[in-house]
Amino acid sequence: KAGVTQTPRYLIKTRGQQVTLSCSPISGHRSVSWYQQTPGQGLQFLFEYFSETQRNKGNFPGRFSGRQFSNSRSEMNVSTLELGDSALYLCASSLVGDTQYFGPGTRLTVL
Amino acid sequence: AQSVTQLGSHVSVSEGALVLLRCNYSSSVPPYLFWYVQYPNQGLQLLLKYTTGATLVKGINGFEAEFKKSETSFHLTKPSAHMSDAAEYFCAVTSTSGTYKYIFGTGTRLKVLA
């Protein structure tokens, strides 16, 4: 089976812009979670989608949003980018209550 | 509520020495427990997991972990460290019911000295 894929792998944006990241889960996985990873804050949970519904949410401002499509692919959007949004964004997919499998991440740099 | 605590954000061992990375969890329901490894600029890769059954779990690359309910621990060990083991390691817990939310520890960076 193909693993979790994330596009793009690298992204450079400027403050105030918005960005959309994409995640394709492993075939058959209906749960997709997003994480932000920075050197200072470590791995932080953003949100989880299951069957097109947001099931869990972390403690991030409303500028961070996501969605899931009927084929389980997911996107996350960050509006009005800030310097502090520079991070590695990781997507993980899983069967319900089982192992999360991670993609390689999208490295976002905000200038 | 569930939580995970990893003791030691940085651990250094000599090549060939025992690796011991500590993880303690808190969970009101039977947990599933995981260890992941992350190499620079990559995603997290599953090392091993505990769901039910045998409490000593063997994973990839010679790692193993033991689930100790009485101590609420799930420490990761490897008898002999290799240079290639240098990476960041994350312990995680999820519930077997309810929200199925994953909780990750803060990570332990392992350095292997020649």
Side-chain angles (χ1 to χ4, degrees):
Chain A
K1 272 186 179 178
V4 178
T5 58
Q6 292 187 246
T7 56
R9 291 293 313 278
Y10 300 91
L11 207 49
I12 299 175
K13 293 286 187 179
T14 56
R15 279 183 299 173
Q17 287 187 309
Q18 76 164 15
V19 67
T20 298
L21 312 182
S22 181
C23 172
S24 292
I26 291 172
S27 177
H29 287 189
R30 293 164 62 191
S31 170
V32 175
S33 297
W34 288 90
Y35 296 85
Q36 181 196 66
Q37 188 176 31
T38 59
Q41 299 296 319
L43 194 63
Q44 293 189 284
F45 172 73
L46 280 156
F47 29 65
E48 182 216 358
Y49 286 87
F50 178 77
S51 292
E52 301 179 64
T53 300
Q54 188 180 87
R55 184 164 68 175
N56 288 300
K57 189 178 188 304
N59 190 27
F60 276 81
R63 299 186 297 107
F64 292 81
S65 63
R67 60 178 175 168
Q68 187 180 33
F69 302 95
S70 58
N71 62 359
S72 293
R73 190 177 70 84
S74 177
E75 289 181 347
M76 68 162 281
N77 183 277
V78 188
S79 62
T80 319
L81 283 166
E82 300 177 0
L83 295 179
D85 297 333
S86 294
L88 181 66
Y89 289 89
L90 293 165
C91 165
S93 76
S94 71
L95 298 171
V96 175
D98 204 344
T99 306
Q100 287 197 335
Y101 293 92
F102 283 79
T106 294
R107 171 75 62 186
L108 172 65
T109 302
V110 182
L111 302 175
Chain B
Q2 295 179 305
S3 66
V4 172
T5 302
Q6 289 185 242
L7 291 175
S9 58
H10 292 81
V11 170
S12 293
V13 300
S14 298
E15 193 174 19
L18 171 72
V19 176
L20 171 60
L21 304 182
R22 299 177 187 275
C23 173
N24 288 89
Y25 71 92
S26 170
S27 178
S28 57
V29 297
Y32 284 1
L33 294 158
F34 306 82
W35 275 100
Y36 288 86
V37 61
Q38 185 181 33
Y39 298 101
N41 293 313
Q42 294 186 25
L44 277 66
Q45 178 185 0
L46 179 71
L47 271 178
L48 49 80
K49 68 177 180 181
Y50 168 79
T51 55
T52 58
T55 56
L56 182 62
V57 180
K58 294 186 186 299
I60 62 171
N61 302 338
F63 285 94
E64 62 182 37
E66 186 170 11
F67 170 62
K68 292 188 176 181
K69 185 177 179 180
S70 61
E71 298 177 10
T72 60
S73 69
F74 191 57
H75 301 330
L76 182 71
T77 61
K78 182 174 180 178
S80 177
H82 295 163
M83 297 298 289
S84 60
D85 295 327
E88 189 156 23
Y89 293 80
F90 293 90
C91 181
V93 62
T94 190
S95 61
T96 54
S97 62
T99 63
Y100 301 104
K101 191 172 180 180
Y102 254 74
I103 306 296
F104 280 85
T106 51
T108 298
R109 188 167 297 278
L110 176 66
K111 186 174 182 180
V112 181
L113 307 171

